[in-house]
Amino acid sequence: MARISAKGGTSAGLQRLALLGFAALFILLFVIFAIAQGIGNPSIPSGSVAIVEDAPEDLGTVTEADFKHALVQTAAQEKVTPLPKPGDEKYDELSEKALGEVLDSIWIQGQAGEMGIAVTPKEVLKELAKLKKQAFKTEKQYKEFLEEAHFTRADVLTRVKIQMLSTQIQEQVTEEAPIPSSSEIENYYEAAKASQYTTPESRDIRVVKNKDKAKVEEAKAALEKDDSNKSWETVAKKYSTDTTKSNGGLQSGVAEGTLGEPLDAEVFAANQGDVEGPLPEGKTYVVFEVMKITPEKTQSLDEAKSQISAQLAEQAKQQTFAAFVRGYGTTWKSRTFCASGYTIERCANFKGNGRPPEANEACFEANPKTPAEACPAPIPQVKPAQPGSVTPLTPEGQKLAQRPRPAGAEEVAVAPEGEIPGGVVPGATGE
């Protein structure tokens, strides 16, 4: 029994050693695989502040010299002199904006390359000549601008190139937007028919207004004998205190709901050609006559179709581009790594404090006096549409911002819908 037990123990021990060896080998293979696949943050070369993976070869590294040059330009743009020193709050603000603009340039050129979009040096020069003609009266003014902005000729050419690429990116993306279908056009028309394609009934009326009821009754008696335009002009001039007295009391194109009560209801209940009143209106009395009735008119679907199609097509382009921009920002941020001391939200290795940027610092004090309702929710501010608010007229619905759970409210488990973090809109270079 002892021998059997010993052999069993030896066998179990060997099995454990084999498993440990296999585990060690597995870990080693994983490490080798991780290194080969680039898992983890890449190292930033000495003398650089950031790298952008998958960017064009000559653009993937942001050197300290690139950053300092952009910082000087940003300070000039913000009219900040002298340049603040590191550690100063204004320096941090300028630093973040400067690095952001450098990254904009790299991201947009990288995105353009992946989409097969390019501009030639000749095209850039032609566009620059056009912009110079629009913005500067003389070559001297242009050179003064370069000096004040700390721009080299190469800087200007790059800015023009970026703007041209941005425009072409947007054009290419929006070309992929779906064309509105006949059913979408019809659904929109039905939803908007009453509010956008129907002109309500309107009436042309003449009025005499006066605080003295007796004078208004005299005016009515005269108009009942003769309600011609000429008679109205004479009577209004003699009896009315209203601003319309000089043109015979005429008010054209009056829509229902635009007059005070009870005048509004009486005007739209009256027959054309009848002199009505006197009616009280505030501190005055009114006599009126409906001179003309323009009936309600609804534009047909055929008449409105081209307008609706263009409107929905533009809406689809905006939605398509917005979706592209979200993906664009997420993609290029994941490829961007910044050196210590230069990490901003545009960097994949940025670590925030988890506080929404719009939050007041008082919300995070140990014993905050700020009411919870005044502080944003401690999660990204997702704004889903309120139930039932999505219609053909409002495809995004009425947004409902998330707020902190009110004190004393019952816990409700709700999984917020995720929102892909957005990026910088291509072309937002400040130019």
Side-chain angles (χ1 to χ4, degrees):
M1 295 292 294
R3 289 182 181 180
I4 294 174
S5 177
K7 287 181 179 180
T10 303
S11 176
L14 291 173
Q15 188 176 12
R16 284 196 295 272
L17 287 174
L19 289 172
L20 288 172
F22 179 80
L25 178 61
F26 181 82
I27 293 171
L28 177 61
L29 289 173
F30 179 81
V31 171
I32 294 172
F33 178 81
I35 294 173
Q37 295 297 315
I39 293 178
N41 297 340
S43 60
I44 312 299
S46 177
S48 300
V49 301
I51 60 170
V52 181
E53 295 181 329
D54 298 328
E57 291 183 4
D58 57 336
L59 297 174
T61 302
V62 181
T63 66
E64 291 181 356
D66 295 332
F67 169 75
K68 289 177 181 177
H69 184 55
L71 183 61
V72 170
Q73 291 177 340
T74 302
Q77 181 182 332
E78 299 287 326
K79 301 186 184 303
V80 176
T81 53
L83 185 66
K85 294 181 180 180
D88 185 278
E89 184 177 349
K90 190 63 179 178
Y91 177 89
D92 293 339
E93 179 185 326
L94 295 174
S95 176
E96 181 170 349
K97 185 173 182 181
L99 183 54
E101 292 194 358
V102 174
L103 294 178
D104 271 340
S105 178
I106 298 172
W107 289 11
I108 292 169
Q109 291 181 78
Q111 183 67 38
E114 293 186 1
M115 295 173 66
I117 295 172
V119 291
T120 65
K122 185 176 180 180
E123 290 172 331
V124 173
L125 287 171
K126 184 178 179 180
E127 181 68 13
L128 174 58
K130 184 177 76 174
L131 294 174
K132 282 174 62 177
K133 188 175 181 179
Q134 293 173 349
F136 305 100
K137 294 181 179 179
T138 64
E139 183 68 19
K140 181 182 178 182
Q141 284 186 343
Y142 172 64
K143 289 182 177 179
E144 288 175 349
F145 158 74
L146 294 182
E147 185 176 351
E148 291 174 4
H150 296 275
F151 274 22
T152 64
R153 178 175 172 78
D155 291 331
V156 174
L157 292 173
T158 298
R159 293 295 180 104
V160 174
K161 179 182 179 181
I162 294 301
Q163 191 57 52
M164 294 175 72
L165 292 175
S166 299
T167 300
Q168 291 188 37
I169 288 172
Q170 183 168 358
E171 289 174 352
Q172 182 170 311
V173 170
T174 54
E175 282 177 1
E176 299 173 1
I179 298 173
S181 65
S182 297
S183 61
E184 288 174 329
I185 293 172
E186 186 174 348
N187 289 340
Y188 185 92
Y189 171 77
E190 291 299 330
K193 182 164 62 174
S195 59
Q196 296 182 27
Y197 302 107
T198 299
T199 303
E201 175 188 312
S202 65
R203 299 190 169 201
D204 295 350
I205 64 173
R206 290 187 185 274
V207 298
V208 168
K209 295 184 179 183
N210 200 303
K211 291 181 179 180
D212 190 333
K213 186 177 181 180
K215 289 185 178 181
V216 173
E217 289 174 339
E218 288 179 29
K220 181 181 180 182
L223 292 168
E224 286 177 332
K225 293 178 182 178
D226 180 7
D227 66 347
S228 65
N229 289 339
K230 187 174 181 179
S231 177
W232 264 100
E233 289 171 1
T234 301
V235 171
K237 188 175 182 179
K238 180 177 180 180
Y239 293 103
S240 185
T241 57
D242 191 60
T243 55
T244 60
K245 63 183 293 182
S246 61
N247 68 341
L250 181 64
Q251 296 183 25
S252 300
V254 176
E256 190 170 6
T258 59
L259 300 173
E261 294 294 358
L263 180 60
D264 190 87
E266 292 294 333
V267 164
F268 282 87
N271 295 319
Q272 184 173 330
D274 292 345
V275 178
E276 303 283 354
L279 296 171
E281 186 188 44
K283 296 181 179 180
T284 65
Y285 292 90
V286 186
V287 165
F288 72 89
E289 181 181 356
V290 176
M291 311 301 292
K292 178 183 176 182
I293 299 175
T294 302
E296 176 183 280
K297 182 181 179 181
T298 300
Q299 193 175 2
S300 69
L301 174 59
D302 286 340
E303 292 171 326
K305 186 175 294 183
S306 61
Q307 178 188 345
I308 296 173
S309 179
Q311 185 173 336
L312 292 181
E314 182 60 32
Q315 187 179 86
K317 287 182 179 181
Q318 293 174 1
Q319 292 172 345
T320 299
F321 189 64
F324 162 79
V325 169
R326 289 193 294 270
Y328 159 87
T330 301
T331 297
W332 286 99
K333 177 178 179 178
S334 71
R335 301 173 178 179
T336 303
F337 299 88
C338 303
S340 176
Y342 296 95
T343 51
I344 60 175
E345 289 190 32
R346 306 279 293 278
C347 309
N349 56 330
F350 171 80
K351 294 182 180 179
N353 56 17
R355 300 176 181 180
E358 70 274 15
N360 189 313
E361 286 298 317
C363 294
F364 304 97
E365 294 175 352
N367 297 299
K369 297 179 181 178
T370 307
E373 293 77 9
C375 297
I379 57 175
Q381 286 293 291
V382 190
K383 295 184 179 181
Q386 293 188 26
S389 67
V390 177
T391 69
L393 301 183
T394 56
E396 299 296 324
Q398 183 177 350
K399 298 302 183 183
L400 178 63
Q402 291 191 10
R403 301 183 183 279
R405 185 174 62 86
E410 293 183 3
E411 290 284 356
V412 178
V414 177
E417 182 181 350
E419 184 176 82
I420 301 174
V424 175
V425 177
T429 57
E431 291 302 302

